[in-house]
Amino acid sequence: MALCLAAPIPAVAQSAPNLAALRGLAPVSALGGSAEGQAALAANLRVTGDVQEGGVPALRLLPLAEQRQFALRDSFITDGNATELADGLGSTLGALYQDTARYTDPATFTNVAPSVADLLGYTNSVAKSDSNAGKYFFANATTNGKDSVSAAASSILTEIGGTTDVFGKAYGRPAGTPGSNTHGNARPFQTLPQLFAYRGTDYFGRASHSLDWLRGPGMNLIDSPSYPSGHTTYGYTESLVLAILVPERYQQMITRAAEYGTHRIVIGAHYAMDVLGGRATALHAVAHLLANDPAYTGQIRRNPAVINAMSTATKEGVAVADYPAALRAARADLTAFLRDRCGGTVAACAAADTGRFRDPAANAAFYEATQTYGLPVVYPQRAKTVEDVGRRAPEAGYLLTAAFPSLNLTEANAILTDTQGPGGGFLDDGSEFGAYARLNLYAAAGKAAALAATRQGQAPASP
């Protein structure tokens, strides 16, 4: 395999969506300034190490050895067609999807339909741009490791008393020191006192090793800053798209996203905080797209299909002026594709599942464990609060109404409020972005599906 340097695509300046994401992700930069923040940083390294060593059974759906093999496969990112994530559609629908949407080599892939390809491409490009904007920003306040960020971006850190390289400084590996990286925010494989490394096979069935996806040749992350997790941003973004396109599998796809993010900890590439930041970034971006926010739509985006996680992109562009319309077109085409190939209704084929997401109780428990990864409260005054999602982040409701259109936005936001996760976490500073960090889409989707089924005169499907 050729050596791929996993560096974010350089940006001349941060866009308005980029700045919104940076502002939302920024509380991590101020953690060193309070006792609660310092405790959270210590817990972040400890929890990351526990998961990486295999010491947290609640954070896996399979026996440890099998889960590690899935983590190795997931190191290759299939953002051109979401095929690695599509097993969340179930053993029946997932197999049908993956039989057509394939990667035959790292640069060659197919899709089930052009409309699905365009939707995935545009959505992932938007979310990835927000995630990539954070990489060097939180490492050394640059756009690419050397060029300074805009004044608007720089003020984000100044306003909250934030600092760069918070992980490197907290874990004894500041940028440029032995064992660290060049830019800052060294990764777990550089800061953990010990790392479990193992052999297996990669996405293409080739003999591989976990270190191949940390130090090369599969992916070289040695000088790639840690926060937030780009893989997790992709995993949640494209899993969420598939969840909305196939709402019968919404909860399972969200579980798959959580598993994908957790695999970044298992492999040694990311901290728990990186994964939580990537999740919030994805949910925030997708909600704004679903709301047809003009700051997020109407642009020509490069197809984000890449050979590695964050660098080389194809030259083809995709433009989406009306995101809900693009979503409807993709849903119609994917529904027809799945129905024709499964020989029955999508709902019936979705229920025919013998895969690892077949157990609703196991899915719920797993997702609950990933909600905070057990990290402690940073904002005690918010720990017992209930965030009014409709007031703080009104567009969040589209994450449910897009899949369950019989719900209105007020009802959807009420469900998100009722099901939200614990308060006071490191991103829950009272901001819009903090509201996204608390969303529990697994629980929310279960309530939304039950309400929608009742209105359609059907018995609610199993969660």
Side-chain angles (χ1 to χ4, degrees), residues 6-335:
I9 299 171
V12 176
Q14 294 78 37
S15 66
N18 290 163
L19 290 172
L22 293 180
R23 196 169 292 110
L25 290 163
V28 74
S29 69
L31 290 177
S34 70
E36 293 88 354
Q38 292 169 17
L41 284 170
N44 183 46
L45 186 64
R46 183 178 64 254
V47 167
T48 297
D50 289 345
V51 176
Q52 207 281 322
E53 285 286 322
V56 188
L59 286 171
R60 52 182 184 260
L61 293 166
L62 295 167
L64 179 58
E66 291 182 55
Q67 201 76 62
R68 282 175 169 155
Q69 290 303 309
F70 268 102
L72 189 58
R73 280 181 53 93
D74 278 355
S75 294
F76 177 75
I77 190 167
T78 63
D79 55 355
N81 56 17
T83 191
E84 176 70 350
L85 301 168
D87 52 359
L89 294 175
S91 55
T92 300
L93 294 182
L96 296 172
Y97 187 102
Q98 292 174 326
D99 187 54
T100 297
R102 294 179 293 165
Y103 270 79
T104 54
D105 61 59
T108 307
F109 62 93
T110 56
N111 262 292
V112 298
S115 59
V116 176
D118 287 349
L119 186 72
L120 288 170
Y122 191 87
T123 309
N124 193 49
S125 181
V126 169
K128 186 201 300 191
S129 177
D130 289 349
S131 179
N132 283 355
K135 288 287 187 181
Y136 289 117
F137 176 77
F138 293 108
N140 65 356
T142 66
T143 60
N144 55 11
K146 58 183 179 179
D147 297 328
S148 297
V149 296
S150 66
S154 182
S155 68
I156 292 172
L157 295 181
T158 303
E159 290 170 2
I160 64 172
T163 184
T164 56
D165 192 19
V166 65
F167 294 152
K169 293 170 182 174
Y171 305 144
R173 292 288 189 276
T177 62
S180 184
N181 65 17
T182 302
H183 307 295
N185 279 342
R187 291 176 180 252
F189 72 89
Q190 297 165 315
T191 62
L192 286 171
Q194 59 186 24
L195 183 80
F196 183 87
Y198 58 97
R199 297 185 182 278
T201 54
D202 67 9
Y203 172 81
F204 297 98
R206 302 174 297 199
S208 188
H209 194 288
S210 60
L211 294 179
D212 294 346
W213 298 91
L214 300 173
R215 299 183 178 275
M219 185 172 293
N220 186 345
L221 301 177
I222 291 174
D223 283 322
S224 173
S226 184
Y227 181 81
S229 168
H231 270 71
T232 302
T233 302
Y234 147 74
Y236 269 93
T237 296
E238 296 203 353
S239 290
L240 187 51
V241 170
L242 291 181
I244 291 170
L245 293 178
V246 189
E248 296 88 349
R249 300 291 299 183
Y250 196 118
Q251 287 185 299
Q252 292 87 350
M253 284 307 312
I254 293 302
T255 305
R256 179 63 174 108
E259 179 190 52
Y260 192 87
T262 302
H263 282 167
R264 301 308 292 157
I265 306 174
V266 171
I267 208 77
H270 281 291
Y271 305 99
M273 284 185 178
D274 298 336
V275 173
L276 294 173
R279 181 182 73 194
T281 300
L283 270 53
H284 178 265
V286 174
H288 281 269
L289 283 167
L290 291 168
N292 236 11
D293 185 331
Y296 291 76
T297 58
Q299 305 151 25
I300 297 177
R301 295 273 183 169
R302 282 188 295 173
N303 184 322
V306 296
I307 295 176
N308 65 63
M310 293 168 286
S311 60
T312 308
T314 65
K315 295 180 179 179
E316 297 180 5
V318 57
V320 173
D322 185 336
Y323 193 86
L327 183 70
R328 289 191 295 271
R331 177 183 287 127
D333 288 344
L334 182 56
T335 298

